């Protein structure tokens, strides 16, 4: 679904997971929007105009121009996406930040969202009445996989990865990484959690957490991964 900014159509699309209008999204639904951050100068200017002073200051602190542009584009598109649910101008949306930095809506705490971007690809997840997390990554190299597997993967995940055919292993590692990133972002504690104490490799799409002993794992009743 395109997002219109000052008469210009942005390249944002929503994965339709429920019928009806955007604001009528069901409580049991998570909408995932996908957008490209490589925009025309006029589109970028239109998006930048709706950012607040704190966002403008953050954008100005980026050392590289491309990072500043991506930040302005991603925050501007986020505001326009959320505005469709809130029926309010994008520039009037006010954000707060949890202790670990996760943003939330100050005046609409029942509408949850999360965003992630990799290079010029942006994902935004939106849901009513439930916390959400989303992650997108450029596919990793085998060098990265070999270097960080023991730090970021739990023992069950390493076992599962070892059962995958060699030619599919890198894809599976990237899937596990993005699932885990989405979970820790949804939980709100981010990198303060011990990544190798979290298991997102179950076929049911559930999250398992390690107990006090290495062999003890229990299902988290709150979370599912897609």
């Amino acid at each position: 679904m395109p997002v219109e900014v000052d008469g210009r159509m942005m390249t944002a699309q929503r994965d339709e997971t429920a019928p009806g209008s955007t604001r009528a999204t069901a409580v049991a639904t998570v909408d995932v929007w996908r957008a490209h951050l490589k925009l025309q100068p006029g589109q970028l200017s239109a998006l930048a105009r709706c950012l607040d002073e704190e966002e403008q200051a953050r954008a100005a602190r980026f050392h590289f121009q491309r990072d500043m542009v991506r930040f302005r584009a991603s925050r501007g598109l986020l505001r326009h996406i959320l505005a469709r649910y809130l029926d309010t101008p994008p520039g009037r949306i006010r954000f707060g930040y949890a202790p670990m930095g996760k943003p939330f809506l100050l005046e609409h705490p029942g509408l949850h969202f999360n965003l992630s971007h990799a290079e010029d690809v942006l994902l935004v997840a939106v849901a009513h009445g439930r916390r959400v997390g989303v992650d997108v990554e450029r596919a990793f190299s085998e060098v990265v996989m070999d270097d960080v597997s023991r730090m970021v993967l739990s023992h069950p995940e390493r076992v599962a990865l070892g059962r995958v055919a060699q030619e599919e292993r890198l894809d599976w590692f990237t899937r596990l990484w993005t699932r885990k990133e989405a979970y820790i972002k949804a939980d709100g504690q981010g990198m303060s959690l011990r990544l190798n104490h979290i298991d997102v490799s179950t076929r049911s799409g559930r999250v398992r957490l390690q107990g006090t002993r290495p062999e003890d794992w229990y299902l988290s009743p709150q979370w599912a991964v897609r």
Side-chain angles (χ1 to χ4, degrees):
M1 181 179 295
V3 177
E4 185 170 331
V5 182
D6 291 352
R8 300 173 183 269
M9 304 307 289
M10 301 291 100
T11 56
Q13 294 181 327
R14 178 167 67 114
D15 290 343
E16 301 288 353
T17 54
S21 69
T22 304
R23 284 185 292 149
T25 298
V27 172
T29 298
V30 175
D31 291 338
V32 179
W33 295 76
R34 181 180 67 253
H36 293 284
L37 300 179
K38 191 174 290 186
L39 304 173
Q40 297 299 317
Q43 295 174 319
L44 183 62
S45 296
L47 290 172
R49 282 196 294 270
C50 71
L51 304 187
D52 62 22
E53 291 183 2
E54 187 271 341
E55 289 168 322
Q56 296 286 10
R58 285 180 61 185
R61 289 196 292 268
F62 282 103
H63 180 73
F64 295 107
Q65 175 77 9
R66 101 187 145 205
D67 295 328
M68 179 187 70
V69 168
R70 287 170 178 166
F71 177 81
R72 285 178 172 169
S74 63
R75 292 304 288 249
L77 281 168
L78 171 66
R79 284 178 169 274
H80 278 268
I81 290 169
L82 293 175
R84 299 178 69 93
Y85 294 84
L86 302 173
D87 195 23
T88 190
R92 293 186 181 178
I93 294 174
R94 296 175 61 225
F95 296 111
Y97 296 88
M100 298 303 296
K102 184 179 182 181
F104 62 90
L105 293 166
L106 283 172
E107 297 170 353
H108 304 275
L111 186 68
H112 297 263
F113 69 94
N114 196 236
L115 74 159
S116 176
H117 66 83
E119 297 186 355
D120 290 319
V121 177
L122 171 73
L123 288 186
V124 176
V126 184
H128 289 285
R130 58 172 58 198
R131 290 180 291 167
V132 292
V134 68
D135 189 54
V136 59
E137 302 284 351
R138 183 188 176 105
F140 295 108
S141 68
E142 291 188 8
V143 173
V144 171
M145 179 177 67
D146 293 339
D147 284 349
V148 305
S149 288
R150 284 199 168 271
M151 290 187 293
V152 303
L153 298 186
S154 65
H155 177 70
E157 290 168 340
R158 294 198 303 272
V159 171
L161 187 64
R163 294 172 178 161
V164 176
Q166 183 65 38
E167 63 271 17
E168 299 176 3
R169 197 161 295 173
L170 189 57
D171 179 64
W172 265 97
F173 173 78
T174 306
R175 287 174 180 269
L176 291 172
W177 180 292
T178 52
R179 289 178 184 181
K180 190 164 294 192
E181 283 277 343
Y183 162 67
I184 66 176
K185 291 175 68 181
D187 183 80
Q189 297 184 64
M191 295 302 290
S192 68
L193 296 174
R194 298 184 65 177
L195 298 183
N196 58 2
H197 286 207
I198 303 166
D199 174 25
V200 293
S201 64
T202 64
R203 292 185 180 274
S204 63
R206 300 294 300 279
V207 176
R208 294 199 308 165
L209 304 175
Q210 191 176 55
T212 55
R213 297 184 302 174
E215 65 271 20
D216 292 341
W217 290 87
Y218 64 93
L219 283 176
S220 171
Q222 294 178 291
W223 301 106
V225 183
R226 299 290 182 267

